[in-house]
Amino acid sequence: MKKRLETICVQGGYTPGNGEPRQIPIVQSTTFKYDTSEDMGKLFDLEASGYFYSRLQNPTNDLVAAKIAELEGGCAAMLTSSGQAANFYAIFNIATCGDHIVSSSSIYGGTFNLFAVTMRKMGIEFTFVSPDCTDEELEAAFRPNTKAVFGETIANPALCVLDIERFANAAHKHGVPLIIDNTFATPVNCRPFEWGADIVTHSTTKYMDGHGSAVGGCIVDSGKFDWTKYPEKFAGLCTPDDSYHGVVYAERFGLEGAFITKATAQLMRDFGSIQAPFNAYLLNLGLESLHVRMKRHCENAQAVAEFLESSDKISWVRYCGLKNDKYHALAEKYLPNGSCGVVSFGVKGGRKAAESFMKKLRVIAIETHVADARSCCLHPASATHRQMTDDELLAAGVSPDLVRLSCGIENAQDLIDDIKQALDQID
């Protein structure tokens, strides 16, 4: 029986047998016992499935990853310790020193720094293009050594909606996969694989957890990108891995298993950014109510965005649910049931007025967080994006007066009342 999204949120990834725990069990163990060295040796040779050390894999994590894969319509998934780790692994699994990636410029500031600074030090070059670039500008960004295209479904905090289908077509024309960070939309509101994306990442810390209780990330593979068509370009998947006795991932595990198996057996083995089993358990509790919470987040954000749009103390509002928003048409295509609970806006008076406004809030807290059951806000230019230059800020869609407001699941009128009283007190 094919389950619908709401049922997958609650029951996906794990079906208990007779007399087994109804809830996903927490396997809080670093190691696993075997009767013979031969049995364990088969695991190290990737000839058998199982567990031997939680730095690579853990049963609790795999059950939760399977649920997220099912939600996204993918074939396999892997949990990581954070969303940053998920994006790093997704890129580094197919790119190495001397390679090149095309990325949307409107992405989370931490991801931008990961790409533009840290991974550049590793010899991987990135070309950043506007999500609104012309087809000609997008085409010009590709190089012979390009290995992937990266973007966010809904950019954090610029709230641009990426034309996934257009970017997927460009990527596939050049024989590379499209990697989409789907954190803000979640699979409840958008499933990028249905629009041509090949790999999806998440910061599960956000809506999937939903309660600010556990940091985590996830990578999901669609299983549809044919690595074997480009064996020289994706040598890591299509040629022998000497660190695993010459296994060729694409041959041994097929298109539906190669990417995640390599990320687990090679990258997780060497970097060890595993999600703690207890964090995975907390994540699963969040997933069980994701479909209910996302609806409320979107309803609250729509109400707040409409109030802000009507206020004479607000210079601009960005939320794709508003009919006059620049990305409304794309939102109707990719996000017909709602986008997310985040609204970005500018307070008249610029940076000083924005900071004054935030100090006066009483219900909404100032936090370096987003996509929580509790409403919170942030001034990105002073926090998450403060390492970026003014030009980089503008390219990412972040102006000095931008306030990012994450609407939780409280009463919408209480949020509006809090915003109104804070605006009334601006110095």
Side-chain angles (χ1 to χ4, degrees), residues 200-230:
V200 161
T201 62
H202 284 278
S203 170
T204 62
T205 316
K206 309 303 189 298
Y207 287 118
M208 284 187 167
D209 171 277
H211 301 88
S213 58
V215 175
C218 186
I219 307 172
V220 187
D221 182 16
S222 68
K224 295 177 181 178
F225 190 85
D226 191 351
W227 312 103
T228 63
K229 286 179 65 176
Y230 316 97

Side-chain angles (χ1 to χ4, degrees), residues 92 95-100 119 121-125 145 147:
F92 202 62
T96 186
C97 182
D99 289 335
H100 172 257
M119 295 191 76
K121 291 177 181 177
M122 302 171 73
I124 301 173
E125 292 292 323
N145 60 338
K147 293 296 181 69

Side-chain angles (χ1 to χ4, degrees), residues 327-405:
Y327 298 98
H328 186 68
L330 282 175
E332 287 191 315
K333 175 180 178 179
Y334 295 114
L335 305 153
N337 299 317
S339 57
C340 66
V342 182
V343 181
S344 290
F345 58 94
V347 181
K348 286 183 179 178
R351 181 190 289 257
K352 184 178 179 180
E355 292 174 343
S356 176
F357 158 75
M358 290 170 63
K359 290 177 184 177
K360 306 297 183 182
L361 293 168
R362 295 294 175 263
V363 176
I364 301 165
I366 300 174
E367 299 177 11
T368 308
H369 193 43
V370 70
D372 196 326
R374 294 165 290 272
S375 294
C376 58
C377 67
L378 190 73
H379 184 242
S382 301
T384 55
H385 290 62
R386 69 179 299 136
Q387 78 280 4
M388 299 171 72
T389 66
D390 287 347
D391 288 343
E392 288 171 343
L393 283 170
L394 291 174
V398 180
S399 56
D401 63 340
L402 186 152
V403 174
R404 183 187 71 183
L405 171 60

